[in-house]
Structure formats: structure tokens, C-alpha cells
């Protein structure tokens, strides 16, 4: 947190250095990026990513989209547009916010903009970015909505405040659940608390649960200690095998 001197922001533990939410899914020869946070360039350099097959945006908030320009290297290197999956309800906002990508203006000679193919989906659609089949689910995010998904044994809930009853069956019994949570106690109108995330994982019968999108209030080691068995805080650079 800018200007903060709390115990987490001063922590020497590298797990307490939290950038904004990004997730890379690799299966076979498919690489799917979930969200384009402002630190995307640094995240991709750290992970050694040189190729992407597709990108999925959970919603249009700045902390999940404002690294979108760093996708340009992939369309240049791969010599084709990168498929970008976005919910239909966010299309106008994405096009407006990044009008230089989709507008009529052409880049000046010697420069480039990301070449991105917008592919639209609706709630409960089954899509296959990069050949990875997944069902998308709209999630309450305060007065907004965000989209999570299930892909085989993986369930991802991004910026969720709750999981609607009619969506429980989509995520029931996942081997690995990735879900957001900010902190313990003090309920937030748009995000799970740690307690709410753990309760959701228990209701789903998730095998392993990883908490992401964590605020700076609590250090990693304390979160790890206070969460129930099977629920673990994620950290930047974490690799999970399914």
C-alpha cells in the first residue's frame, strides 16, 4: 500500500509483497492468462512467459485490466491477434477505456498496439479459450458483477462476495478452488472475507483452496496460521499442480 508502514508493508517475507490479481493456467500446450493487472509485465517476466494462447478478463475494474497494453508483445511475436474473452456486458466499457486498441486511429509508423480479438460470452456459457473448456459463472461483486469459471477440477472465483445457490453445483467438489478474500472480519460489500471464503470452500467440498486478492492488513504467516486445514493463502509466484 502506497505510503503505508504497517507490519505487512514493512515485512521482509517475500510472500507479503503482493501485486494485483493475475493467474496463468497451463495444460498440455495451452497457456491461458486470467486478467491483465497493472503489474502484468513484471509478473510475466518473473514467470518467464514468452507465449500466450488466450486471455480471459473476469471484469473491467482497473486492477484487473490496466496491464492490457503488455499483451502487445504476444500479438507481435506470434504474428496474430490474441483471443481476449470478455463478458458481453463489459464490451462497451473495455472498448471505450482502451479505444486506441479498437478505434479507427492507426499507430504511427514504427509503433504498435496490441492486436486483440474480442470474443464475448454470457453467464453460464461454456467456452474453450486455447482449447481449454470451461464454464463461466457470473458472481456478485457488490453492485457489480465479476466472472469466475470451472475448468475440469479447477474452480476460480474472482472478486466474489458470494456464490449464488444456483451456481453451487457448478463448483461442487472441485479439486482446487482459487478464490478472493481481503482480510479477517470486517465484512466488505464487494469481496469475501477470509471467513466467508473458507465457509464457501467447505460448502463446495473443495479438496484444496488457495486465497488470492489479499489486502495488506495481515501478514502471510498469520493468515496461514489462522485459516482452517485445506485453505491456504496464495502468494506471488506460487505454482499449483492439479
Amino acid at each position: 500500500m502506497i505510503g503505508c508502514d504497517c507490519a505487512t508493508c514493512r515485512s521482509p517475507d517475500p510472500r507479503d509483497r503482493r501485486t494485483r490479481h493475475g493467474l496463468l493456467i497451463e495444460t498440455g500446450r495451452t497457456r491461458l492468462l486470467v486478467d491483465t493487472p497493472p503489474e502484468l509485465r513484471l509478473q510475466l517476466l518473473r514467470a518467464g512467459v514468452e507465449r500466450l494462447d488466450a486471455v480471459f478478463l473476469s471484469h473491467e475494474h482497473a486492477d484487473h485490466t490496466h496491464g492490457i497494453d503488455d499483451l502487445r508483445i504476444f500479438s507481435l511475436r506470434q504474428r496474430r491477434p490474441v483471443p481476449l474473452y470478455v463478458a458481453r456486458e463489459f464490451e462497451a466499457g473495455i472498448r471505450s477505456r482502451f479505444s486506441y486498441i479498437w478505434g479507427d486511429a492507426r499507430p504511427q509508423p514504427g509503433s504498435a498496439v496490441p492486436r486483440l480479438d474480442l470474443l464475448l460470452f454470457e453467464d453460464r456459457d461454456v467456452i474453450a479459450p486455447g482449447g481449454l473448456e470451461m464454464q463461466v459463472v457470473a458472481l456478485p461483486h457488490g453492485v457489480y458483477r465479476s466472472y469466475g469459471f470451472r475448468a475440469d477440477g479447477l474452480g476460480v472465483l474472482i472478486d466474489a462476495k458470494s456464490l449464488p445457490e444456483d451456481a453451487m453445483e457448478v463448483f461442487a467438489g472441485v479439486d482446487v478452488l482459487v478464490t478472493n478474500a481481503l482480510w479477517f472480519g470486517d465484512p466488505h460489500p464487494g469481496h469475501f472475507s477470509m471467513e466467508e471464503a473458507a465457509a464457501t470452500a467447505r460448502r463446495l467440498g473443495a479438496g484444496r483452496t488457495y486465497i488470492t486478492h489479499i489486502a495488506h492488513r495481515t501478514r502471510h504467516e498469520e493468515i496461514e496460521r489462522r485459516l482452517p486445514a485445506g485453505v491456504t493463502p496464495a502468494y506471488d509466484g506460487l505454482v499449483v499442480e492439479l
Side-chain angles (χ1 to χ4, degrees), residues 64-81:
H64 295 258
T65 61
H66 278 198
I68 199 168
D69 195 74
D70 289 320
L71 297 178
R72 75 169 69 191
I73 187 62
F74 298 104
S75 57
L76 283 170
R77 180 177 293 138
Q78 296 167 191
R79 300 181 183 276
R80 59 176 175 78

Side-chain angles (χ1 to χ4, degrees), residues 41-232:
R41 174 178 171 273
L42 299 177
Q43 293 170 344
L44 295 176
L45 284 171
R46 177 178 177 175
V49 177
E50 79 291 341
R51 175 183 57 83
L52 286 176
D53 296 296
V55 179
F56 175 94
L57 291 184
S58 59
H59 60 302
E60 59 182 332
H61 287 172
D63 56 327
H64 295 258
T65 61
H66 278 198
I68 199 168
D69 195 74
D70 289 320
L71 297 178
R72 75 169 69 191
I73 187 62
F74 298 104
S75 57
L76 283 170
R77 180 177 293 138
Q78 296 167 191
R79 300 181 183 276
R80 59 176 175 78
V82 176
L84 179 66
Y85 288 77
V86 178
R88 188 176 300 277
E89 64 189 276
F90 303 140
E91 179 187 12
I94 293 294
R95 286 185 180 275
S96 173
R97 187 173 302 173
F98 304 105
S99 59
Y100 73 98
I101 296 177
W102 289 285
D104 294 331
R106 302 265 61 84
Q108 65 179 353
S111 66
V113 300
R115 294 172 59 210
L116 306 172
D117 280 345
L118 270 183
L119 301 172
L120 307 179
F121 60 79
E122 307 271 5
D123 185 21
R124 307 305 171 87
D125 278 355
V126 175
I127 60 177
L132 177 64
E133 187 172 295
M134 50 198 263
Q135 183 171 15
V136 295
V137 178
L139 306 168
H141 180 28
V143 298
Y144 308 101
R145 296 210 300 180
S146 183
Y147 282 80
F149 57 86
R150 178 164 186 171
D152 198 10
L154 172 68
V156 178
L157 311 179
I158 304 172
D159 278 25
K161 174 58 183 176
S162 63
L163 184 59
E165 286 296 328
D166 63 350
M168 292 290 294
E169 62 186 39
V170 176
F171 295 95
V174 289
D175 299 320
V176 171
L177 178 68
V178 177
T179 184
N180 65 280
L182 294 179
W183 47 57
F184 290 97
D186 189 17
H188 186 277
H191 294 270
F192 283 135
S193 66
M194 296 289 176
E195 295 90 342
E196 290 168 333
T200 298
R202 185 173 60 251
R203 290 174 62 203
L204 293 173
R208 291 177 286 161
T209 298
Y210 295 90
I211 304 293
T212 186
H213 208 296
I214 302 170
H216 68 120
R217 288 189 184 181
T218 313
R219 292 190 57 185
H220 183 96
E221 57 87 16
E222 180 182 346
I223 299 170
E224 196 170 42
R225 186 175 67 250
R226 294 176 62 181
L227 285 173
V231 183
T232 306

